[in-house]
Amino acid sequence: LGNLLKVPVLSSEPVVSESVKSRSYAKKIFMEANVNIPIGAHDIFTPEDLYIALSRLIASNLDINRWLIRLNFDYNGESTLILDGKKMEIVHILRSEQTTLFEQNYGNTGAWYSRPVQLSVRKRIVAELKSSFTKIVKLCRPDAYKDIDAFTAQMRHVGAVVEAEPLEKLGWVDSMCYVRPDGECVLFTSADVIHDDKYQIQTYIAPTTLIPKSSLEGASKAVCNNLFKKWRVHGYVTLSFCSFWDGLDGIPRLSANGIQFGMTPQFGAFGTAGVATNPLPFAPLEYLPVYPPNFDPVEVDGYASSEKHCLYIPCMHHTPLKGTRDDVFLKFCQMRGITFDKLEKTGTLFFMVDSVMSGALSMMIVGNSRYRVMEEAVNNMTFICQQFGKDADCNGYYDQLTVVNQVMRKAFKKEEAMHT
């Protein structure tokens, strides 16, 4: 439509975004920008490529317990395949052999990584992978890929990557950036991403508490500057990072995992939070559509307003809500105090994905602390289940309200433990 009307489009060229968002290609972008990436391999298209890549990675990283295999293109990481190293008999044997070799060489690790030893080890790993691959891997979304053969068929078409899961993983972080047409990169906001056990995204909490803002901003700008310099990419860009603890240096670090182009729902949600929590009337400062939320303490008329935190749940389905009118649902919520306080700038906002009668909800909570927004999210979802009924036909899909509530309860317990 933009081409037809001869209007500039606030985004990268479609052919560029389609290529760069590939997980394999994104790794090359991160390396060019000197940003850390996970231990792994990319551009894998056949089972033989996969076995060889895994054998090389496992042989040189025996301490890694979990490997994640993902297709280059999917939605919400639904193609994640988990390989558990603990289920491989050869890994336990090799760990014992490695310890013995270290002792024989008085702690010198070079012998294990010598070419003859590594080639012998890789052959043994490949042999076990070929014989028992289906037994040691787990499909996170069998509803999307019914078996390994279906996954392999798609892998031949689009390719895949292998990534090591850090031993001391702190969590996942999304850096939402805006690249102006002149190339300047603005960090819109950052958010902690809460996944379930199937690596499906359930909730976003801003601002992030896993990585120092300066580190995240430096890595984000390095990637965005490279994208603009190489392909003139501009508009909205979301960069995904994994935060982990570096035991040697005693500091948190990050590794880049993916790139997504365009204004995602998170941009709209946190932009809304920025407008809702701003003590001053909203006034756009420029013609281009960007309004970064300010979650840091600010001073207005000599008074310091409290820092705000925002929790956003993009979508959750709840079958018992079908048949419930919007006004009835909102009335019950108001009676329970599930509202937004315009004076305190805190509370709950509902984004109407559709009518409540469709059984779909999207919720955003603003509070004065991370603990408070998580507590309110759990209370809100519990109230909906109590008032409108539990989902008896729960198939365990990641986007059902009961599943989201379970994930939030688990995350809230961890947060609660930090406060006690």
Side-chain angles (χ1 to χ4, degrees), residues 166 168-174 191-195 208 210-211 240-245 253-255 257 370:
E168 297 185 68
K169 183 180 70 175
L170 299 177
W172 306 87
V173 179
D174 268 10
D192 295 340
V193 184
I194 298 180
H195 293 74
T208 180
L210 298 177
I211 286 291
S240 300
F241 295 92
C242 179
S243 173
F244 61 94
W245 183 257
R253 294 192 182 277
L254 55 82
S255 59
N257 294 86
R370 181 184 174 94

Side-chain angles (χ1 to χ4, degrees), residues 144-313:
Y145 300 90
K146 62 179 181 179
D147 53 30
I148 301 299
D149 291 338
F151 180 90
T152 303
Q154 188 67 2
M155 181 177 69
R156 291 180 183 275
H157 179 60
V158 300
V161 298
V162 178
E163 296 174 348
E165 186 171 79
L167 295 175
E168 297 185 68
K169 183 180 70 175
L170 299 177
W172 306 87
V173 179
D174 268 10
S175 176
M176 285 160 269
C177 308
Y178 176 75
V179 183
R180 301 177 190 270
D182 60 1
E184 182 183 352
C185 176
V186 178
L187 183 61
F188 184 83
T189 191
S190 58
D192 295 340
V193 184
I194 298 180
H195 293 74
D196 59 14
D197 295 336
K198 298 179 180 179
Y199 291 88
Q200 302 300 289
I201 298 174
Q202 300 287 15
T203 308
Y204 299 87
I205 305 179
T208 180
T209 58
L210 298 177
I211 286 291
K213 183 178 179 180
S214 57
S215 300
L216 189 65
E217 187 171 5
S220 301
K221 287 189 175 182
V223 175
C224 289
N225 290 339
N226 185 36
L227 288 172
F228 181 81
K229 181 179 179 180
K230 198 168 184 177
W231 290 289
R232 297 293 172 182
V233 169
H234 59 280
Y236 298 93
V237 181
T238 302
L239 305 174
S240 300
F241 295 92
C242 179
S243 173
F244 61 94
W245 183 257
D246 187 338
L248 294 177
D249 295 332
I251 57 174
R253 294 192 182 277
L254 55 82
S255 59
N257 294 86
I259 302 175
Q260 187 175 0
F261 295 100
M263 176 176 271
T264 58
Q266 300 91 273
F267 276 99
F270 294 130
T272 301
V275 174
T277 58
N278 193 342
L280 300 176
F282 170 67
L285 301 178
E286 56 184 84
Y287 293 109
L288 298 177
V290 56
Y291 187 75
N294 187 4
F295 292 121
D296 299 325
V298 293
E299 187 173 311
V300 180
D301 297 331
Y303 295 93
S305 64
S306 58
E307 181 181 3
K308 300 297 182 183
H309 290 254
C310 178
L311 183 149
Y312 171 56
I313 302 176

Side-chain angles (χ1 to χ4, degrees), residues 330 333-340 348 350 376 379-380 383:
L330 296 175
C333 289
Q334 187 175 20
M335 291 171 60
R336 186 61 181 261
I338 304 177
T339 57
F340 187 81
T348 302
F350 290 101
E376 190 166 340
N379 291 339
N380 290 354
F383 164 73

Side-chain angles (χ1 to χ4, degrees), residues 76-88:
N76 195 23
E78 64 186 7
S79 67
T80 303
L81 187 67
I82 302 174
L83 187 148
D84 192 347
K86 293 181 179 179
K87 293 182 179 180
M88 298 180 66

